[in-house]
Structures are given as C-alpha cells and as structure tokens.
Amino acid sequence: MFPAHRRPREAELTEPWVALEPGADPVERVRELRRAHETFTAVGTVARRVRPVVADSWRRSARAGVGPEGTALVELTDGDLGSYRAEHPLARVMPLVRELMGPFAADGEHLLAVCDAQGRLLWVEGHPVTRRRADRMNFVPGASWAESAVGTNAPGTAVLMDRPVQVFAAEHFIRRVQPWTCAAAPVHDPRTGRVLGALDITGGDRLAHPHSLGFVQAVARAAESHLALLSPAEAAAGRLELTALGRDEAHLLVDGRKIRLSRRHSEILVLLARHPEGLTGDELLCALYEDESVTPVTLRAELARLRRILGSGLLVSRPYRLTAAVESDVSVVERRLASGSVAEAATAYTGPLLPGSQAPTVARLRRRLSDGLRTALIARRDPDLLADWAHTPWGEDDLDIWRALAAVRPTAAVQARLDELESELAAPVGWARPAPR
C-alpha cells in the first residue's frame, strides 16, 4: 500500500520512538526528564539522556515560540466543528476506531483521540473522569494540538513527522501536559499516501509501554485498510474530479479517464462546477467574455464541442449544467480555509486558478481564492507556511508575505529579499530594473 521506505517495521517500535527502555524505572525517568526540561527551557541545552526525537521536537517548539506555560487554543466549536468533522475522511473510519480502541480506553481509564493533518483534535472519547481532567488542559475536540501550537505531544508530533511516536511525562513541552503519556500513529490516504491525521491514546504512566504504541499503530493500519475498501465504491459513484489550480488547461477525471480541456472548456467547467443548479446561456456569456460582441452562437458551439468530449450525457442544457457531482481542487481549498485548516488549504493550493484566463468571473474567483489564503497565512504567522508561499512562483514577489515572514523568521536571506522588494516598490515611476548580465 505504501512505498517500502514508509512501511512500519517492527524495529521502529523500539527506540527512538518508544518512550521507556525495557526495565527502566518510570519514577526515576520522570525526575530525569523534568530536570532536562528545566535546563532546556532555561538555557536551551538538551541533556544527553533526552531521546533524539524529543530533543528535536523541543527545539522546533522553542523556534515556533511555544512557551512551557502555554495552553492549547480551541479553533473550531459547535457547528463549525460538526461540519468539518462530517466531511473529513477519517469520519468514515470512526466506527471501526471506536470498536477497536474504545474498550481499551474505557478499561484503562484512557482517552482515544483523533486529529487531522494539522494536529487539530476532531474526536476525544473515553473514560469520563479522564475526560474531565483532560478538559482542564483543553485536550478537547476543536483544539489545536499541532506541535507548532503546543509543543511536543504525540498526535501533533506524529502528523508532523509522519511516524508513530510515544511521548512520556515531562517529554511534553508544556508543563500542564507533563502528568500525561500518549501514543499516536498517523493515518494515510490509501490512494495518495498523504497524511489524513493521527490516532492517539492518552492516559497515565501505564501507557509508557511498547505495546501501547504497537496497538495504536495497528489500529491506524486497520483504518487505512478500511479506507482502501471504501475507495472503489466512491469511484463508482460517478463523481467528476476537476483540477484547475496552477494550470491554464484543466484536467477532468471521468470514470478513470483523464481529459485535458482547452482553456475555454476549462473556464466553462470551473463555472459549472460552482453552479450545480446550472447557468443560462446569458449568464455564461457574461461570466466568460469581456467582449460584448461575442454572440450566443459562439458559446453554443463551444458547449457542443465540450458535450462531445465529455460524452455519456454529462452536460445538459436549459440551463447548462453537469449531471454528476464535481469535486474540484478549488472547492477543496475553499472548504479548508472556511474550517480554519490553513496549512491543509496551503497544501492543496498548487497555484493560481487558470492563471492565463481573462474570463471576468474566473479572474474574480482567482483573486478571491489567492487573497483569502494569503490573508490566512499572514494571520497564522507560521514561518514554514509563509516560507513555502514566498518561495513559489506566485509568491516570490509578494511583499506582504515577505514582510510577514521577516517578522517571524528574520534571517539574513529573508531580510535581503524583503529589502530588494521594498527597494523596487520605492523606485521612481519609469525606472526600469537593470537586465541581468
């Protein structure tokens, strides 16, 4: 199911991913870790006895600005949380996860938790007394437990590293989390291999055992197998997949057949995908053409050609509409932005929508999508997300992004690029940048 280098091996269930060595005294290990944590937060030095995976995570946490007295923030509540969970791919495996992990969590007074690819908790279930204790540190659905938000913790570190990991006691970066032990394993999309989120078991010191990590990893593999069984049924449901970001000619996947569309047909499909109820000929004319001299006959000819390309009665008229549901990369980015999944939205954004299109409605949608994502990235202040955008073809001259990046990652290279952009902005009218030699 996955490339050989990503398949879990039995050897990975020992050091460095398991918290306690065989025969280690948990009480003494807790004392040792607390001393190491105090030293690191005071002077930035990591003791030799701290596991490398934890030491690296502490350093990342400090660079991200996480403080040892911090707390998790709840990002999604009520209806927003409900709608996001309902459409998340992991919702389809929750009955299986509850069946496999629920009894273990209840009997051991533990919690089972499921997070998305950004470390945001979607479900937290288990023993009621343990849940009330966890509520006090905001280990609740909708809270962000990304490593960049709350430091070292099993679900957040597992999705970041794309590895199963166990975090014991004072290995947690935030002090209020240090009475806890957790083990988490990432869950992948069986078709693409990308991380969908992670399964986590959280409780007391009794979880500091290789078996707890092996258990949660086995459940994660079962969840992936279940998703793989669901995929063929979804493919047979007749849904179209439209890819239009970062390309002038969109691709449409129809029953396993990939169609490369012309620029005009790409624009039409983008518009019809956004309007499943259909558009009249006049509405399409206004959306597609700035030149009012273009006649309805020209549009009808384009639609007739598109109908022949699609086949199988997928495009009908009066009004013009598609007879099958369309999932587009544009709608994926929009949904993730609306739910606050900024990092996931940035991952799905592979470039401006049909960048060469001059169709008025497509151009407006292109600007709105780009501006919405840029605004969210600047507000999030995540240096890695900002750097990813700044080093793309569409972000290399984005002054606002470079200013935001310089504020959170003021390296010499970032500052030099920002100075260059600001110098160009301040150049007098008519000034031409010298051609490179």
Side-chain angles (χ1 to χ4, degrees):
M1 187 181 304
F2 300 107
H5 72 278
R6 291 189 52 191
R7 293 191 193 114
R9 300 182 298 275
E10 194 66 29
E12 291 173 359
L13 297 185
T14 59
E15 287 283 1
W17 307 100
V18 173
L20 285 182
E21 298 174 355
D25 179 358
V27 176
E28 177 56 34
R29 182 62 174 153
V30 168
R31 294 194 192 100
E32 189 176 56
L33 287 170
R34 283 177 178 163
R35 290 194 296 269
H37 185 269
E38 291 299 327
T39 299
F40 178 78
T41 55
V43 298
T45 302
V46 182
R48 184 176 58 85
R49 289 283 292 160
V50 177
R51 290 188 293 153
V53 63
V54 173
D56 291 343
S57 178
W58 283 2
R59 295 185 185 101
R60 289 193 301 268
S61 303
R63 288 197 299 268
V66 180
E69 306 304 329
T71 190
L73 298 179
V74 177
E75 295 184 348
L76 292 177
T77 58
D78 304 329
D80 290 338
L81 173 63
S83 60
Y84 180 64
R85 289 196 302 196
E87 75 161 23
H88 196 278
L90 291 180
R92 295 171 292 174
V93 298
M94 280 308 296
L96 175 67
V97 171
R98 292 185 179 106
E99 180 181 353
L100 296 177
M101 294 180 68
F104 179 81
D107 294 345
E109 299 186 6
H110 307 314
L111 300 177
L112 77 86
V114 179
C115 72
D116 65 11
Q118 283 65 55
R120 184 187 295 113
L121 297 179
L122 304 182
W123 292 272
V124 179
E125 302 174 1
H127 195 277
V129 174
T130 311
R131 285 196 66 178
R132 286 195 291 272
R133 287 179 54 219
D135 287 351
R136 294 197 286 270
M137 63 175 183
N138 269 356
F139 195 80
V140 296
S144 175
W145 279 74
E147 193 182 83
S148 60
V150 294
T152 310
N153 71 96
T157 301
V159 293
L160 178 68
M161 298 295 294
D162 193 9
R163 293 289 297 266
V165 64
Q166 192 174 55
V167 178
F168 170 66
E171 289 182 332
H172 289 94
F173 194 78
I174 290 182
R175 290 193 178 95
R176 70 178 61 197
V177 190
Q178 291 180 351
W180 300 81
T181 294
C182 48
V187 180
H188 304 87
D189 185 308
R191 291 190 304 161
T192 66
R194 73 181 179 90
V195 176
L196 298 175
L199 308 183
D200 170 78
I201 193 80
T202 289
D205 291 351
R206 285 179 295 170
L207 286 176
H209 191 285
H211 290 169
S212 66
L213 185 58
F215 170 67
V216 75
Q217 187 180 11
V219 177
R221 299 293 84 79
E224 290 171 349
S225 297
H226 190 62
L227 286 171
L229 291 173
L230 293 174
S231 295
E234 291 176 349
R239 189 169 69 174
L240 310 179
E241 294 184 16
L242 181 66
T243 305
L245 294 177
R247 59 180 74 238
D248 287 324
E249 296 181 336
H251 289 173
L252 183 69
L253 190 64
V254 184
D255 296 329
R257 177 172 59 107
K258 181 179 286 188
I259 302 171
R260 182 173 177 172
L261 303 165
S262 70
R263 180 173 296 187
R264 185 61 75 196
H265 290 166
S266 300
E267 294 166 344
I268 293 171
L269 261 293
V270 165
L271 295 172
L272 293 180
R274 295 186 67 76
H275 295 277
E277 76 283 2
L279 292 169
T280 66
D282 287 342
E283 288 172 329
L284 273 173
L285 271 175
C286 292
L288 291 169
Y289 300 102
E290 289 182 307
D291 187 352
E292 296 182 358
S293 66
V294 176
T295 66
V297 174
T298 301
L299 177 59
R300 285 198 294 270
E302 289 283 6
L303 289 162
R305 285 191 287 269
L306 178 58
R307 186 180 290 113
R308 288 195 297 271
I309 291 170
L310 298 179
S312 306
L314 286 175
L315 176 60
V316 297
S317 57
R318 298 182 183 176
Y320 293 106
R321 67 188 188 281
L322 297 168
T323 59
V326 182
E327 174 73 337
S328 75
D329 49 359
V330 175
S331 62
V332 169
V333 174
E334 289 178 321
R335 283 199 307 270
R336 292 175 180 179
L337 273 179
S339 66
S341 302
V342 179
E344 199 166 4
T347 299
Y349 186 85
T350 54
L353 169 65
L354 302 178
S357 173
Q358 300 300 314
T361 302
V362 173
R364 284 196 295 273
L365 175 58
R366 180 170 60 235
R367 287 193 299 271
R368 186 163 70 241
L369 189 66
S370 174
D371 290 348
L373 184 51
R374 290 174 65 257
T375 300
L377 289 171
I378 291 169
R380 178 60 62 92
R381 294 175 56 83
D382 184 305
D384 292 330
L385 293 179
L386 289 166
D388 286 345
W389 182 279
H391 290 95
T392 60
W394 55 88
E396 61 184 358
D397 295 326
D398 192 326
L399 181 59
D400 291 337
I401 288 287
W402 282 97
R403 283 172 173 166
L405 179 59
V408 295
R409 182 174 284 170
T411 64
V414 170
Q415 191 60 51
R417 178 57 181 155
L418 176 59
D419 291 345
E420 182 182 14
L421 287 174
E422 289 183 331
S423 176
E424 292 174 3
L425 184 67
V429 176
W431 176 84
R433 186 178 180 178
R437 296 181 178 178

